[in-house]
Amino acid sequence: MNSQPLLGTPVKEEREKKNFSSRPWAAKLILIGGLIALALGICISVSFGAADIKLSTVWAAIFDFHPELTDHQIVRELRLPRVLGGAMIGAGFAVAGAIMQGMTRNPLADSGLMGINSGAVFALALCFAFMPNLSFMGLILYAFLGAAAAVAVVYGIGSIAPGGLTPARLVLTGAAFSALLSALSEGVALYYHIGQDLAFWFAGGVAGTQWVQLQIMFPWIGAALLGAILLSPSITLLSLGEDIAKGLGQRTALVKLIGAVIVLILAGSSVAVVGAVGFIGLIIPHLTRYLVGVDYRWIIPCSAVLGSLLAVFADLVARMVNPPHETPLGAIIALIGVPFFLYLASKERREL
């Protein structure tokens, strides 16, 4: 993941020096308060739905399960895996975005804008068309391959252009290639009559998440999140600039390779569960850096907590907009993400 540094002007270099600070007390407050808020959000989300269930019943369904009770079945088999899946993918997308922004020094980097999500969805479309009986583990594998191929194409096309891979060119190439892959996915869906199967992945959502999916996904996303935390000191050095990182003894090529693998695991796994939900990896890292500073040892765990919060509460809002029907999770997050993206784009243009 190479790109030209954003700090190309004295104004931005001076701003970066002033902002190079960390606020561990704020990070600890976010982690503690965020986890408490996440637990509360999960309880509220599990209790809310077409059939409202008391929090006491939710507690009983989790810790004293009686399969003959309908409310217990709803909590354990439908709502709890849905909410936990939302928390998991929220953390995955947010940390993937934080790593991408740190390694490329590109504030607009996000798995959705870089073509990763669309590449994974296109791979899923091919799987539904040509391998309809593929297992969920197989879907995850092909989602990884699709995401990796999309990243390779985006970076390859952006790099061969005159002037190299600038942040603006990276975003434009990623957006264009994402649109192409989305069109191809829809074409495959129409030609092979699998539009209904793919509609969920196009819209993005956690409805229908099952325990078997979570059992497969948790080791992947959990290991990738742990790897991101272990890699965070190196990402902090990379965020200062590649020359500075090399001067401090950083093996930048190895760090970027490991970071790219972690991003592909997080984004590919998340897309396999909820589809092409974008902007979580764009919004959350910026908010986290504003709150805790630029030390990625704090940014990555705080991004995971805040990303989970955003996904859980966005899913709750998606169920409240037009009950008993559900609004796609991707649409709710896009209502926040699109204006935020336009704000960042205009801000970067003014500062260049």
Side-chain angles (χ1 to χ4, degrees), residues 101-127:
Q101 291 174 19
M103 290 197 305
T104 65
R105 306 185 76 204
N106 182 352
L108 302 178
D110 169 64
S111 61
L113 296 175
M114 298 296 103
I116 294 177
N117 293 1
S118 297
V121 171
F122 180 62
L124 292 176
L126 294 179
C127 289

Side-chain angles (χ1 to χ4, degrees), residues 4-261:
Q4 291 183 352
L6 288 176
L7 306 180
T9 64
V11 174
K12 297 192 74 175
E13 290 176 356
E14 184 64 26
R15 182 183 62 132
E16 184 72 7
K17 291 177 182 178
K18 290 181 180 179
N19 288 341
F20 186 68
S21 61
S22 62
R23 293 179 285 277
W25 60 269
K28 293 175 183 177
L29 184 62
I30 289 172
L31 290 175
I32 296 172
L35 289 173
I36 294 173
L38 181 60
L40 179 62
I42 289 174
C43 291
I44 295 173
S45 186
V46 170
S47 65
F48 180 84
D52 290 336
I53 300 174
K54 296 180 179 180
L55 289 177
S56 58
T57 304
V58 173
W59 180 272
I62 295 174
F63 297 102
D64 187 21
F65 179 63
H66 293 283
E68 68 276 6
L69 298 178
T70 302
D71 286 348
H72 284 209
Q73 287 282 1
I74 292 174
V75 169
R76 287 288 292 265
E77 302 302 327
L78 297 177
R79 295 186 183 174
L80 193 57
R82 170 183 184 146
V83 176
L84 293 179
M88 192 182 301
I89 64 96
F93 280 131
V95 172
I99 293 174
M100 293 177 69
Q101 291 174 19
M103 290 197 305
T104 65
R105 306 185 76 204
N106 182 352
L108 302 178
D110 169 64
S111 61
L113 296 175
M114 298 296 103
I116 294 177
N117 293 1
S118 297
V121 171
F122 180 62
L124 292 176
L126 294 179
C127 289
F128 283 122
F130 300 107
M131 295 174 284
N133 297 319
L134 194 64
S135 66
F136 184 70
M137 191 65 191
L139 290 177
I140 295 174
L141 176 61
Y142 280 100
F144 289 162
L145 295 176
V151 170
V153 171
V154 169
Y155 276 83
I157 294 175
S159 299
I160 62 176
L165 190 61
T166 64
R169 183 173 292 122
L170 183 64
V171 172
L172 291 174
T173 304
F177 193 61
S178 294
L180 173 63
L181 290 177
S182 296
L184 291 175
S185 299
E186 292 175 3
V188 170
L190 290 173
Y191 186 82
Y192 289 96
H193 307 290
I194 55 173
Q196 187 173 357
D197 295 328
L198 278 178
F200 169 81
W201 274 271
F202 285 136
V206 290
T209 303
Q210 300 176 359
W211 284 113
V212 63
Q213 294 174 307
L214 298 184
Q215 290 171 356
I216 294 173
M217 297 304 307
F218 181 76
W220 289 90
I221 292 183
L225 291 176
L226 178 60
I229 292 173
L230 295 176
L231 193 67
S232 58
S234 300
I235 298 175
T236 301
L237 294 180
L238 267 181
S239 68
L240 300 176
E242 189 162 351
D243 292 338
I244 294 176
K246 287 181 178 179
L248 294 173
Q250 182 75 260
R251 300 173 64 182
T252 57
L254 178 61
V255 172
K256 289 181 178 180
L257 176 61
I258 296 174
V261 171

Side-chain angles (χ1 to χ4, degrees), residues 292-308:
V292 307
V294 297
D295 190 341
Y296 277 81
R297 291 175 299 177
W298 295 113
I299 289 175
I300 286 178
C302 290
S303 292
V305 172
L306 294 178
S308 296

